[in-house]
Amino acid sequence: MKPDKHRGSFTKGRVRMKIESFKIKMLNFLTKREKACKAEHPLDLKEAFSKFARGGSQMNKDQLLRFIVEHQGDNISGEEDLDKIVESFLVARSCSSSSRTRSARFPDVYSKQGLTLNDFVDFLLLHDFNAALNDKVHHDMNAPMSHYFMYTGHNSYLTGNQFTSESSDEPIIEALKQGVRVIELDLWPSKSSTKDGIKVVHGRTFTTPVAVRTCLKSIKKYAFYKSDYPVILTLEDHLKPKHQDKFAEMAFEIFGEMLYCPQTESLTEFPSPESLKKRIIISTKPPKELQQSDSISKSKAGPNECETPDEEFWGLELSDSVSKPTEDKGNARDADQENINTSNNIPNKQGVLRYKHLITIHGGKTKGSIKDQLKDDTKVKRLSLSEKKLKSASESHGADLIRFTQKNILRVYPKGERVKSSNFRPHLGWMYGAQMVAFNMQGHGKSLRLMQGMFRANGGCGYVKKPEFIIRTLPHDEVFDPKKQLPVKEILRVKVYKGDGWNLDFSPTHFDRFSPPDFYTKVCIVGVPADCVKKKTKVNMDTWYPVWDEEFKFELRVPELALLRIEVKDKDKGKDDFAGQTCLPVSELRQGFRSAPLFDPKGKKLKSVKLLMRFKIETLNNSSISLI
């Protein structure tokens, strides 16, 4: 068959058209990009510059000092502090990889006139000088530990989902580097011939174990990497007495003087975070000092009637290796029964007492009615509830929950159905004073971003002082009610000016193949139900350097528990592309022009991407009205 000449010519014509179309799109891309670089600065920035530069084209050193003190409200004592700021700015500017400023030499504010408008805007974008939050510890750290929210992990050793992932010390290390202060370990007797006979694993699942010694050594090494404030180890203890003794021996050997072990039987008030700097604290249920008869009677009752763990039931414990998932369940139960019945497991009193001596924060009973569990006692304790049980308790015993957390510690953990390591909204616990809202740190999502946002407060030290209205006790025993209709206490105004840095952190075709991105910003408040609201800017078309210049007003009833969630997206025909996020505690916001670095979906800070914003807070006259 002869080739069709007309068909070949048609095909070549289509190829030429595609090439020409590509050239046009690329030319359009470059043209739009050039236009984007020339975008005007927002009016507020120009007016502030003109005001403090007294209408001139440069802002000198004295004028910059006045701007920092009067407009930003920052505490700069004088020229010496300002000199350090300017010197650091010169270094940061000269090291900047920005395509717009790399070749430009920053003018010396001492030998020349000062900052130009462009220099001034670049100065505002530098997070080191104009951060949205205070990066130092500034809360009172001398109150009892029950007066603080604590950055808390759940199943801290898991690398992925709750059923088949590996156990490792790597997630523990990463959590400690992020400032997490409460690490959870599930301790089980090991059936393999390991030295210590103890494994860390999510029992009764197909997760693989990790040696407890490995975890403890990593905790010692990284405990105070991010923060000097105490690290608490919550243990879900499935150990027999001989293994408890072995764990105590190991903990004393590895941690040494880092361990805080008070000589009292149990505490009547928790010590303060300040008094426990560089200390490691153990929290679990104390062992039962059993006689042989008690051990025998307990073994007759069966393994499932032993010490009830904090977590929800998952099924039978699997062997150390997941290579034998078909092991007969009946045999597994019999094996456990045999271990419990062995005479070697009759507790040695000295060993049991040594393990008990480790425990500073005693776990409370999880049996009986919620009313009984929340009863006040002379000795302080920690109680653990699943998110389901907390929700139920908040509906019927909300006031009792808050009274309990004024003195004791409440830990809330994800429900058992969260197999993929997802998390719940943390405000469910915080509104009722729960200090330890335990999260799967490997379960990335919006809820975890809220947790990360809350603990950016107080210099990121992992402890955030609870609001006074949750802590205080009134004469008639009234307590805060998050469901009550409350008056507006504060008005927050958030202005989103512009964004920068995407062209440095993302490839030219990451968002759109043939044109610059179409960015918009979502601005949301998450807090008590009455404060929650979502807003967003217009879409800024075809630019890597978006300028929105939009302000949003939020009326807040409980600003102390409110979080400002910010997310930038690229508008698309299908699903909008993620372009960065951050979450900031409203009570910690610094007023004025502020730089807000953005993070990736997992909470890792992007190298260059940031927003230039302004925060204004107005406290209303009814602030003295009780929240109760």
Side-chain angles (χ1 to χ4, degrees), residues 58-129:
Q58 284 91 19
M59 181 184 289
N60 65 31
K61 181 173 64 174
D62 293 334
Q63 293 165 344
L64 178 60
L65 177 60
R66 281 189 57 238
F67 166 78
I68 292 172
V69 173
E70 295 177 17
H71 186 279
Q72 300 291 84
D74 293 340
N75 185 21
I76 301 294
S77 59
E79 288 192 9
E80 186 176 343
D81 287 345
L82 181 62
D83 289 347
K84 293 177 182 178
I85 291 176
V86 173
E87 183 180 352
S88 300
F89 178 37
L90 291 170
V91 173
R93 183 69 177 275
S94 64
C95 296
S96 172
S97 59
S98 170
S99 60
R100 293 175 296 147
T101 61
R102 190 186 313 155
S103 60
R105 185 178 178 184
F106 177 68
D108 189 333
V109 297
Y110 299 100
S111 61
K112 298 185 179 181
Q113 290 86 352
L115 302 175
T116 66
L117 175 60
N118 287 338
D119 298 328
F120 175 69
V121 173
D122 283 339
F123 172 76
L124 294 178
L125 276 166
L126 287 175
H127 178 259
D128 289 348
F129 315 113

Side-chain angles (χ1 to χ4, degrees), residues 151-156 412-414 422-427 437-443 446-451:
Y151 203 175
T152 303
H154 173 255
N155 289 348
S156 305
V412 185
Y413 58 90
S422 62
N423 290 299
F424 55 98
R425 288 297 178 99
H427 282 84
V437 178
F439 260 36
N440 297 307
M441 295 301 165
Q442 74 279 30
K446 291 180 181 178
S447 293
L448 184 58
R449 294 175 199 171
L450 298 177
M451 178 68 69

Side-chain angles (χ1 to χ4, degrees), residues 3 188 367 410:
W188 292 83
K367 293 183 179 181
L410 177 61

Side-chain angles (χ1 to χ4, degrees), residues 32-73:
K32 288 177 177 177
R33 183 177 181 178
E34 182 64 25
K35 288 180 179 178
C37 293
K38 298 177 181 178
E40 288 253 343
H41 294 302
L43 181 61
D44 285 357
L45 305 185
K46 292 192 287 187
E47 288 182 345
F49 178 83
S50 178
K51 174 184 175 181
F52 287 92
R54 297 186 179 279
S57 58
Q58 284 91 19
M59 181 184 289
N60 65 31
K61 181 173 64 174
D62 293 334
Q63 293 165 344
L64 178 60
L65 177 60
R66 281 189 57 238
F67 166 78
I68 292 172
V69 173
E70 295 177 17
H71 186 279
Q72 300 291 84

Side-chain angles (χ1 to χ4, degrees), residues 168-184:
S168 169
D169 64 329
E170 289 299 324
I172 297 172
I173 293 171
E174 183 59 31
L176 292 170
K177 284 184 174 181
Q178 291 176 11
V180 173
R181 297 291 83 194
V182 184
I183 299 294
E184 183 189 26

